[in-house]
Amino acid sequence: MKVVDYKAELQNELQDLAQKNKKIGFVPTMGALHKGHISLIKKSVSENDITVVSVFVNPNQFNDKNDLKNYPRFIDKDVELIKNAGCDFVFTPSVKEIYPKEDNRIFDFGDLNKVMEGKQRNGHFNGVAQVVSKLFNIVKPDVAYFGRKDFQQYVIIKKMVKMLNMSIEIVDCPIVRETDGLAMSSRNLHLTDIQRNNSSLISKTLFKARNLTNKLSVKELKDWVVDAINENPFLDVEYFDIVDDLELKSISNWQENNNKVGCIAVKVGKIRLIDNVNFNL
Ligand code: AMP
């Protein structure tokens, strides 16, 4: 496996391989890797000739400068994990390499980035689109892998690829969870032991909620989830919504003919955790 810091070097290597008709899979990450990330890398390795993983903490997607400063960074450990997963190239660019000059592009995703995470984190998805579009232009993958853990991000990246006429297949991968159900996240590292233990209530409540769709209306079920989690003194729900998986519009009844996803954000002290489950009946 090669570790590459410069886009020109990576492009040289990949151009040769693309000319030989090698299928290139790509997994963008911000590092601090866990089994969730590794599952994406392994999927790419099993489905492509060549896998590229990027590790880049993208300043443009952080609306909270403290969050950026405190974002966990373990590059040596990450490189070891990526190598063990069978990857071929790790791209570890500097901020200057990705943004030699300021990126002022504004993406119009319609309502997709005005709801849920987009509403809570102003400019976040625009920053995500800036970096992912740049990385796509450098790597030129055939396929790129995204976790359903960040469900809204996955939907927005699919839209971005369409808007920019990029011929890249976007593949979604299931959420990898800890044994007690908590969705794996680099942010879990910041939780104290007691916060960590109480956080498992988030996924437990979402799983229980899936069994209540024949007893409660959409509105009643949403209230039930929020109340059940907020009863815990360590947890504070920012939002919970059940949306369709294409337009991310709130659904109003269970009979609607679309795929439904229940998305939640919860504050645990200063840490924000997100999770989601399918509500397909
Ligand atoms: P990040 O490093 O947080 O930007 O995440 C990189 C990729 O890993 C994104 O596509 C995430 O959705 C995905 N990811 C993060 N956590 C998980 C998880 N627990 N299960 C599956 N995918 C995940």
Side-chain angles (χ1 to χ4, degrees):
M1 184 183 76
K2 280 196 177 161
V3 183
V4 182
D5 295 340
Y6 298 101
K7 53 190 179 207
E9 187 189 345
L10 185 67
Q11 280 171 318
N12 264 342
E13 297 262 11
L14 295 177
Q15 244 166 28
D16 275 358
L17 292 162
Q19 272 164 12
K20 289 179 188 140
N21 280 330
K22 300 285 184 196
K23 191 173 171 200
I24 297 174
F26 178 45
V27 183
T29 81
M30 296 207 300
L33 303 185
H34 50 65
K35 287 184 190 146
H37 300 106
I38 302 302
S39 73
L40 272 56
I41 301 171
K42 287 196 167 154
K43 190 165 168 62
S44 173
V45 169
S46 74
E47 295 179 353
N48 298 281
D49 300 311
I50 299 291
T51 289
V52 182
V53 175
S54 61
V55 178
F56 178 67
V57 181
N58 173 34
N60 291 16
Q61 73 187 68
F62 286 81
N63 49 341
D64 175 346
K65 290 295 161 228
N66 258 337
D67 192 18
L68 171 63
K69 199 175 108 219
N70 296 329
Y71 201 82
R73 292 162 208 244
F74 308 108
I75 190 64
D76 294 341
K77 189 174 159 220
D78 287 344
V79 168
E80 196 56 31
L81 289 170
I82 296 169
K83 186 173 159 197
N84 291 341
C87 170
D88 302 281
F89 294 96
V90 191
F91 184 41
T92 52
S94 65
V95 172
K96 242 188 145 178
E97 187 67 4
I98 294 295
Y99 298 112
K101 56 178 200 270
E102 212 180 314
D103 190 342
N104 293 317
R105 289 175 299 161
I106 304 284
F107 292 81
D108 181 4
F109 293 118
D111 287 339
L112 289 184
N113 63 342
K114 295 193 181 70
V115 297
M116 300 192 295
E117 289 303 286
K119 202 165 166 186
Q120 302 292 336
R121 304 178 69 191
N122 196 13
H124 168 68
F125 288 118
N126 201 65
V128 169
Q130 288 176 340
V131 77
V132 174
S133 60
K134 277 174 177 278
L135 291 169
F136 280 180
N137 279 325
I138 296 166
V139 176
K140 297 193 171 38
D142 298 287
V143 194
Y145 295 82
F146 288 84
R148 285 183 76 92
K149 157 83 175 15
D150 300 279
F151 179 70
Q152 191 170 4
Q153 169 173 280
Y154 156 69
V155 173
I156 286 176
I157 295 297
K158 268 200 307 187
K159 170 101 174 188
M160 182 196 82
V161 162
K162 250 194 198 156
M163 281 165 51
L164 300 178
N165 293 314
M166 290 172 152
S167 56
I168 300 171
E169 184 192 349
I170 304 300
V171 171
D172 60 322
C173 305
I175 300 176
V176 177
R177 298 179 177 282
E178 303 286 356
T179 42
D180 64 358
L182 179 66
M184 288 193 183
S185 164
S186 314
R187 291 200 160 78
N188 295 351
L189 294 171
H190 293 308
L191 300 171
T192 63
D193 287 350
I194 191 154
Q195 286 174 330
R196 165 66 191 82
N197 289 339
N198 282 278
S199 297
S200 66
L201 183 66
I202 302 167
S203 58
K204 285 182 179 140
T205 305
L206 294 180
F207 293 143
K208 261 193 207 158
R210 279 205 297 210
N211 298 325
L212 295 176
T213 53
N214 54 352
K215 296 202 184 87
L216 301 178
S217 69
V218 172
K219 160 101 181 58
E220 287 165 343
L221 186 133
K222 286 204 253 185
D223 290 345
W224 181 85
V225 165
V226 173
D227 291 347
I229 294 177
N230 279 345
E231 254 178 39
N232 182 298
F234 292 92
L235 309 178
D236 187 12
V237 176
E238 237 178 38
Y239 67 78
F240 173 60
D241 204 358
I242 303 176
V243 298
D244 76 271
D245 71 343
L246 296 174
E247 300 292 326
L248 303 181
K249 291 209 190 316
S250 299
I251 62 148
S252 47
N253 69 73
W254 299 120
Q255 279 67 47
E256 282 180 36
N257 192 15
N258 46 25
N259 288 325
K260 302 167 187 68
V261 186
C263 300
I264 197 162
V266 179
K267 285 285 285 263
V268 190
K270 289 194 174 122
I271 310 303
R272 281 181 91 246
L273 301 179
I274 58 171
D275 200 348
N276 65 81
V277 292
N278 286 329
F279 271 93
N280 298 328
L281 308 178

